[in-house]
Amino acid sequence: QSALTQPASVSGSPGLSITISCTGTSSDVGGYNYVSWYQQHPGKAPKLMIYEVSNRPSGVPNRFSGSKSGNTASLTISGLQAEDEADYYCSSYTSSTTYVFGTGTKVTVL
Amino acid sequence: QVQLQESGPGLVKPSGTLSLTCAVSGDSISSSNWWSWVRRPPGKGLEWIGEIYHSGTTTYNPSLKSRVTISVDKSKNQFSLRLSSVTAADTAVYYCARSAGLKCHDYWGQGTLVTVSS
């Protein structure tokens, strides 16, 4: 299984919005509403930010939102804050009953 | 609060076997969740290794399937990873995680670095 495709880096100024894309295939992203997003700060464990395409776990700010169209999912961070600077990974359940992660995106707050 | 804690050797020799254990607290390993291993090689992204259900049913990443074994010990509320014939490419931070029924990984261990070197 091939990793889902994400941009290597995305940057934005505080207070503005950024969107990270995650492109897969009809066997993963496009075939299931089981796309999740993870935030990872250096030296820390990944943290679940979005599940089932657009649902936020308790405690995750509503500045984080998710969506999907066809084989591409997206994570939008609105009102960007300094603490949002981190690596972000998408993940999808697949037709092989496995999981696949994205290539990862480094978010920089300017 | 669900907590997961990885443990095991931090250094493994090439061609040897990597063995890690994940102790779970705050949830029963026999609950309706699956239990996963994920790794992140230095400078690279996350890679899902595989998962196990308390019944012993497993699913593995096809690219690692021939070398991976995940097992569960219900009496100790923990699960384990074995990766055989390791090379330098298996050097990574290894995480254990809970695979929730909503097909996501909602709780993670803090990770443990395993280096493959002679």
Side-chain angles (χ1 to χ4, degrees), chain A residues 38 40 45 51 87 89 97-98, chain B residues 40 48 59 95 102 105 109:
Chain A
Y38 302 86
Q40 188 173 31
Y51 65 95
D87 293 329
Y89 294 89
T97 69
T98 62
Chain B
R40 183 176 182 182
W48 180 78
T59 308
Y95 299 95
L102 297 173
H105 299 90

Side-chain angles (χ1 to χ4, degrees), chain A residues 9-96:
Chain A
S9 63
V10 174
S11 61
S13 299
L16 299 187
S17 297
I18 61 169
T19 296
I20 302 168
S21 61
C22 169
T23 301
T25 69
S26 58
S27 296
D28 40 62
V29 174
Y32 303 89
N33 286 326
Y34 290 134
V35 176
S36 51
W37 288 90
Y38 302 86
Q39 175 191 67
Q40 188 173 31
H41 287 108
K44 300 294 187 182
K47 176 186 177 182
L48 177 66
M49 304 301 284
I50 296 286
Y51 65 95
E52 287 187 316
V53 176
S54 60
N55 294 314
R56 280 187 310 276
S58 174
V60 173
N62 59 12
R63 304 183 289 105
F64 291 85
S65 61
S67 62
K68 189 185 85 166
S69 177
N71 295 338
T72 298
S74 298
L75 174 71
T76 297
I77 309 175
S78 304
L80 199 61
Q81 298 184 5
E83 61 259 36
D84 299 333
E85 186 162 292
D87 293 329
Y88 290 82
Y89 294 89
C90 59
S91 177
S92 177
Y93 188 66
T94 80
S95 59
S96 301

Side-chain angles (χ1 to χ4, degrees), chain B residues 77-89:
Chain B
N77 214 45
Q78 64 185 32
F79 62 108
S80 299
L81 168 70
R82 287 173 58 86
L83 180 66
S84 63
S85 304
V86 297
T87 69

